[in-house]
Amino acid sequence: MFSAQFNPHRVMSHRLVPDGATYRTEDADFLKSTYPDFYPTDVLQDADGSLLVSDTGAWYVDACPISRVAKPEVKGGIYRVRRTDHVSPDDPWGERIDWNQLSDVKIVALLEDRRMVVRDRAFQQLTGRNVPIDALSKHVSTATSAESRVIALRAIAQSDQPNSADALIDALDNDFDVVRLTAIRALADNVVKGAIPKLRRFLESDSPQERAEAASSLGRLDAQSAALDLLAAAEHAGDRFEEHAIIYALIELDDTAVLAKGLTSESPRVQKTALIALDQLDYPGLRAKHALALMEREDDALRGAGLWVASRHPDWANEVTGFVSERLRTAALDDAERSSLQAISGAYANTEVMQNAIASLAADASLDEERALFLFDLMDTRTGSLPEDWRDAIGNGLGAASTTIRARVVDAINLHGLDSFDAELRAIAQDTNDSDAIRIAALDTLIARHPALRPEELELVSEALSQRADPGMRSRATRILSQAELALEDELTLATEMIPSADALVMTGILARFEGRREPTLGRSLIAALNFHPTIDRLLTDAQADRLFNGYPADVRAEADGLRNKLIGRDDRLVARFIGLEDQLNSGDVGRGRQIFFGDRASCSTCHAIGDEGGNLGPDLTTIGLVRSGHDLLEAVLFPSASMVPDYTPFLIETADDIHAGIIERDLPGSVALRMGADERRVIDKDDVLSIEPSPVSIMPEGLDAELSNEELIDLIAFLRSLNNEQWLLPEQRNAGD
């Protein structure tokens, strides 16, 4: 197979290779171009066997939001690709064949013609007339190529002749596996119940693909006699694809008596199959003990299945919670089990037994740091007011020796909007011996309820705002300032001292507090500071300027006209910068670009991960060089809202009190967890949600490129283009060879 890949400027070849009950692909570049305006959008096979590649060029702008730089003059084209030894067949379209005069035998023979179009046309002829099934069946048995046999078998499957079902059954004994697989599927499509005995035997085939297809077809045929065979086949299922086919077939058969026997099987894999199927069938006889039988196994897949089913049954809390507690105390938890335990905690969070279990664990001083942190993750799954014991555990965590735990506790207080720890948080904010990060986090948690800042707290926030080494702390400091009650004198200081050097990460938050103000002195100071900023035209738009000065007197608004003049042509200048940089994309230095990515000014690693290092607010970039060209990467940096990765699309969640913007991190039945920044999350009760809509604005702020020179931008793009999952490029190796 071939695929046209628009953004990476290439066509790839994909060779299908059987892999268990499914397939994998062996992928390779077939056609690749460094020309930035080559955008392949489709690849087709022509009648002579050559490939046609369509290239839309650079005019495709309006329908593709990733493109902000129009080049209507680059029209693209259609390219023909042939092998160098290609010999075109005579009459590739079969136009000289008199199709109406051909006999049935000759049409069947054309199914092996080397011309693709002729084969397809022969198939269409076969389905339009009643060619004897015997002739087609003979071709299925004797044709040289497997492809030709499959085409003939498809023609039989579409026939309404009386003996077509027998021919499909006979094809189950074919020499070619692809023919047998086609027959298995066709028998289910045509509801040939007479094939059930033979299909049952395929459950013991040496081929995992045949076993999976047979299981699927038996379910579709409602083969009640095969229920025991399907359950037994689960013992030897080779992979999840085959296992799924068996489980789904058993669900379709709906034989709960057979499945109930499977719950007591000596085979844990049969138990797992029966448990999942019965759970999906809402079988009333299912009990917690059946899930616990698997949860207590050492095998991760078996234990995971038991945990998943248990998470769907809150009424099992009394029996299951003991197991959960024991796992939390003693087991090494992988990501899959942590996810399952979070699901169970969310399902059982309103039960007294689960609340007591988590409280007991939280009070255990011997619990290691990793488990203690995970307990707070479990608490986050609950909506509404927290149990008193949980609040006590959170309060006790504020006095933990571990800075990591204390920081996580402050995050939990903020997340759940707890106001009973305000005195303790204020003490943390005042403690000069504590870390600045925790002190800022404490103030961030307090500011919504207590907007007045003490002088020493304002000094702390101002210092944090200028600390380039910690972008997360700077974001929190900005949020504090945007909500704080400040004296006019302090606001003037903020305007004159902070704004002239503010970058994209903090500028929007700082300016938000000045919107709607009316004091002329403040307005003039603000104008002067913004005019002094060297890259203000990248950080401020016309619309933002209008909102910012709308509330000030007319004479102040008039003074702001000079600032607005700087913003005129902002997008044109940005496009010009893009065009100027595009020709230099191949001249960047990967090593310098790596330092910029992990450095303080660009702050890329705050939100993006490479390998095991970096943040998770934005997409993982470990393999970005495989799927994005330099042209596209440069567009993404300069125009971050032009396109967004689907899994990282920001959403606006409206409640009665506020509108929250961020990435949906976890969607549970009763709540939604929203990540609003590198260090900020919110758990929102779904009962409080009025609407959830995608946001048109990326969480990556515009203007980050303003911090970088042209040379630095080119180096950064060079580093991003080099990211192809090779070990030497991962962050822990980034200093190797420097």
Side-chain angles (χ1 to χ4, degrees), residues 41 129 158 260 329 361 450 497 562 574 636:
T41 53
R129 62 164 100 177
Q158 294 189 25
R329 286 185 189 278
L361 286 164
H450 306 283
E497 295 185 5
L574 190 58

Side-chain angles (χ1 to χ4, degrees), residues 75-92:
K75 304 296 186 183
I78 299 176
Y79 309 101
R80 186 183 299 278
V81 184
R82 298 187 184 92
R83 291 177 57 92
T84 53
D85 58 355
H86 175 79
V87 177
S88 181
D90 184 49
D91 188 25

Side-chain angles (χ1 to χ4, degrees), residues 319-379:
E319 297 97 321
V320 173
T321 299
F323 170 84
V324 173
S325 297
E326 184 60 25
R327 293 295 296 176
L328 289 172
R329 286 185 189 278
T330 61
L333 304 177
D334 59 21
D335 289 342
E337 188 167 5
R338 288 168 69 96
S339 179
S340 295
L341 290 172
Q342 279 184 316
I344 287 181
S345 176
Y348 296 0
N350 291 323
T351 66
E352 185 177 356
V353 63
M354 177 57 76
Q355 293 172 10
N356 291 340
I358 291 180
S360 175
L361 286 164
D364 186 349
S366 66
L367 216 60
D368 61 43
E369 181 177 289
E370 181 182 0
R371 293 174 200 281
L373 292 171
F374 185 54
L375 280 179
F376 290 110
D377 291 341
L378 296 183
M379 293 180 188

Side-chain angles (χ1 to χ4, degrees), residues 443-588:
L443 282 176
D444 187 27
T445 305
L446 287 168
I447 196 67
R449 293 185 297 276
H450 306 283
L453 287 180
R454 300 175 183 181
E456 61 271 22
E457 292 170 346
L458 179 58
E459 182 180 356
L460 170 67
V461 172
S462 299
E463 289 178 357
L465 201 62
S466 62
Q467 293 296 316
R468 295 283 181 133
D470 193 335
M473 190 163 65
R474 294 177 68 221
S475 294
R476 277 189 151 162
T478 305
R479 191 161 52 246
I480 293 168
L481 285 177
S482 69
Q483 301 177 70
E485 287 182 358
L486 299 179
L488 179 59
E489 181 182 354
D490 292 328
E491 288 190 309
L492 290 170
T493 300
L494 175 62
T496 56
E497 295 185 5
M498 293 296 177
I499 286 179
S501 60
D503 60 9
L505 195 63
V506 301
M507 179 67 89
T508 300
I510 293 177
L511 292 181
R513 75 161 294 108
F514 294 106
E515 290 184 12
R517 303 300 298 276
R518 295 178 178 277
E519 297 85 350
T521 304
L522 183 59
R524 292 188 177 93
S525 296
L526 193 58
I527 293 169
L530 291 171
N531 273 317
F532 188 78
H533 198 290
T535 57
I536 191 58
D537 63 328
R538 283 295 292 120
L539 305 183
L540 190 66
T541 66
D542 292 341
Q544 287 174 317
D546 289 340
R547 290 198 306 271
L548 186 59
F549 294 105
N550 187 48
Y552 289 96
D555 58 335
V556 176
R557 295 201 304 272
E559 289 184 34
D561 288 343
L563 174 64
R564 288 192 182 90
N565 290 336
K566 288 186 176 183
L567 308 180
I568 296 173
R570 173 181 183 271
D571 288 346
D572 292 339
R573 288 192 293 275
L574 190 58
V575 169
R577 187 183 192 193
F578 176 92
I579 294 172
L581 290 171
E582 193 174 16
D583 293 337
Q584 306 173 43
L585 286 176
N586 293 324
S587 64

Side-chain angles (χ1 to χ4, degrees), residues 279-340:
D279 172 69
Q280 296 295 290
L281 290 168
D282 293 326
Y283 176 60
L286 206 59
R287 297 289 181 268
K289 65 180 182 180
H290 300 131
L292 283 166
L294 294 180
M295 291 160 62
E296 293 168 352
R297 297 279 179 177
E298 290 299 319
D299 183 274
D300 291 341
L302 295 174
R303 188 169 58 249
L307 286 166
W308 178 76
V309 172
S311 72
R312 294 165 44 80
H313 294 268
D315 53 308
W316 293 353
N318 288 335
E319 297 97 321
V320 173
T321 299
F323 170 84
V324 173
S325 297
E326 184 60 25
R327 293 295 296 176
L328 289 172
R329 286 185 189 278
T330 61
L333 304 177
D334 59 21
D335 289 342
E337 188 167 5
R338 288 168 69 96
S339 179
S340 295

